[in-house]
Amino acid sequence: MKQRKLGNTDLLVYPITFGGNVFGWTIDESKSFEILNGFTEAGFNFIDTADVYSAWKPGNGGGESEKIIGNWMHEKKNRGEIILATKVGSPMGPGKKGLAKKYILQAVEDSLRRLKTDYIDLYQSHYDDPETPVQETLEAYDQLIKEGKVRWIGASNFSAERLKESLETSEKLGLPKYQTFQPEYNLYKREDYEKNFEQLVSDNQLGVINYYALASGFLTGKYRSDADLNKSQRGGGMKTYMNDRGFKILKALDQVSEQYASNPASVALAWLIARPSITAPIASVTNLNQLKDLVKAASLKLNTEDIAILDQASDWK
């Protein structure tokens, strides 16, 4: 595996980002440690989480993923080897949400405590906050960078207009600039990113760490009929993809997978890795067998013809 630079930062990552949303949700701390050990032992170093993970699980309040990652790094004593990304802005309780300066300065302390670290490599605005001027948000990050609590910043789920405004404000006022962008992007869902963001991120040399890289698991190929929907906690959401276009994509993935003695998940990730504007797609697994798919994807070099097969099957134009 070759390292890739995240935007114009000094952060060097390998081409898969582990998505920490599963920690404290579909897997407990013990299993999370096992997966994190396997991920890093395979040579990867980039973990993405958020303060809100995994508040949606009954009994959780948010922060569970950060706590697990913090406990793991504390046990392994490997903080310096990990590129750690987290996010701020999602609702964390009454009065705890958004990108106002006062809230960010409070939220970062909570994340640092849960993560058992004194700095965050990449701190991201999870969702835009239209009620807060972008200048105020960037000023908060400026303070955190100067204090050494944050190294670099990124944005997630912004509109193209708001992302552009943020980048222009950074340039105009000499404030920290978003160096990464985290959109939803995969073989099934291509149109929004390719139409509205790809040129923008390329022009500004932003690193892209896209989420739902496997369309919540649909692109693994294990959901092909209604009978498959109970295979996991995410199965209920698969109906969105189970249509003519979705099955056409799975057929192409099957075809290309056969050429590489691989599987649909690895090929779907390899297609993303091969796209010039993508730095390190985010993927999650819940067992070590699934982890093999990530390892395979990182070393899988698709040829031009097979990329074209996937492009055509998933074409949105």
Side-chain angles (χ1 to χ4, degrees):
M1 292 189 297
K2 290 186 177 180
Q3 291 182 319
R4 297 176 166 199
K5 190 166 78 163
L6 266 181
N8 281 316
T9 75
D10 59 358
L11 303 175
L12 298 175
V13 302
Y14 292 97
I16 297 284
T17 309
F18 194 94
N21 62 318
V22 293
F23 302 144
W25 174 30
T26 53
I27 53 177
D28 62 15
E29 180 165 289
S30 176
K31 191 67 175 180
S32 299
F33 278 26
E34 181 182 324
I35 297 297
L36 285 165
N37 288 336
F39 183 72
T40 51
E41 287 165 8
F44 299 106
N45 66 340
F46 191 21
I47 301 167
D48 175 78
T49 187
D51 56 4
V52 74
Y53 297 166
S54 48
W56 51 84
K57 181 179 178 180
N60 284 1
E64 289 78 16
S65 176
E66 288 185 332
K67 287 178 185 176
I68 287 172
I69 294 167
N71 290 341
W72 173 72
M73 291 191 300
H74 181 73
E75 179 181 285
K76 298 292 288 187
K77 295 180 169 51
N78 64 351
R79 175 65 186 94
E81 302 163 22
I82 301 300
I83 304 299
L84 180 61
T86 192
K87 311 181 197 74
V88 61
S90 289
M92 288 286 287
K96 292 185 174 183
K97 68 174 182 177
L99 299 176
K101 182 175 182 179
K102 182 180 179 181
Y103 176 61
I104 289 175
L105 298 182
Q106 168 194 335
V108 75
E109 298 298 336
D110 293 337
S111 285
L112 289 169
R113 184 184 69 255
R114 289 188 291 259
L115 290 163
K116 290 183 165 63
T117 185
D118 55 5
Y119 71 97
I120 294 164
D121 295 296
L122 179 67
Y123 201 36
Q124 302 160 96
S125 298
H126 202 165
Y127 292 93
D128 186 24
D129 176 3
E131 297 179 6
T132 301
V134 296
Q135 179 178 341
E136 179 181 339
T137 300
L138 295 170
E139 286 173 347
Y141 293 141
D142 187 43
Q143 179 175 328
L144 293 177
I145 290 171
K146 288 175 177 174
E147 292 174 351
K149 295 174 181 176
V150 168
R151 296 183 63 195
W152 303 97
I153 60 170
S156 175
N157 298 300
F158 277 36
S159 66
E161 294 74 23
R162 191 71 157 175
L163 179 59
K164 186 176 181 181
E165 180 188 352
S166 298
L167 296 170
E168 289 173 347
T169 300
S170 297
E171 189 73 27
K172 180 180 177 181
L173 300 180
L175 291 168
K177 175 186 174 185
Y178 289 131
Q179 295 294 338
T180 62
F181 184 56
Q182 189 171 145
E184 180 178 357
Y185 183 56
N186 54 58
L187 264 171
Y188 185 93
K189 188 159 186 178
R190 295 177 53 184
E191 182 175 0
D192 184 43
Y193 173 73
E194 292 178 16
K195 272 178 64 175
N196 300 315
F197 294 99
E198 192 160 37
Q199 192 61 51
L200 178 61
V201 299
S202 296
D203 289 347
N204 287 276
Q205 298 180 300
L206 303 189
V208 176
I209 49 175
N210 53 299
Y211 66 90
Y212 288 169
L214 292 174
S216 298
F218 177 74
L219 298 175
T220 65
K222 70 179 181 180
Y223 302 101
R224 297 174 187 260
S225 69
D226 288 348
D228 296 329
L229 300 182
N230 62 356
K231 286 185 174 180
S232 79
Q233 293 186 44
R234 291 183 170 186
M238 293 302 109
K239 292 290 284 185
T240 301
Y241 308 106
M242 292 172 67
N243 51 44
D244 288 345
R245 183 166 181 270
F247 291 128
K248 185 178 180 181
I249 292 170
L250 289 185
K251 184 178 179 181
L253 283 170
D254 289 340
Q255 179 184 343
V256 174
S257 296
E258 189 174 344
Q259 299 295 322
Y260 294 87
S262 185
N263 57 45
S266 296
V267 170
L269 290 170
W271 177 84
L272 287 166
I273 293 169
R275 196 161 188 96
S277 69
I278 301 297
T279 309
I282 299 171
S284 302
V285 302
T286 55
N287 62 61
L288 293 177
N289 192 51
Q290 293 172 351
L291 186 60
K292 295 176 184 177
D293 296 341
L294 307 194
V295 176
K296 177 74 171 179
S299 59
L300 188 58
K301 305 297 182 186
L302 302 179
N303 63 39
T304 304
E305 292 78 11
D306 290 323
I307 290 174
I309 289 171
L310 296 168
D311 285 347
Q312 184 176 359
S314 60
D315 185 38
W316 52 269
K317 296 176 183 176

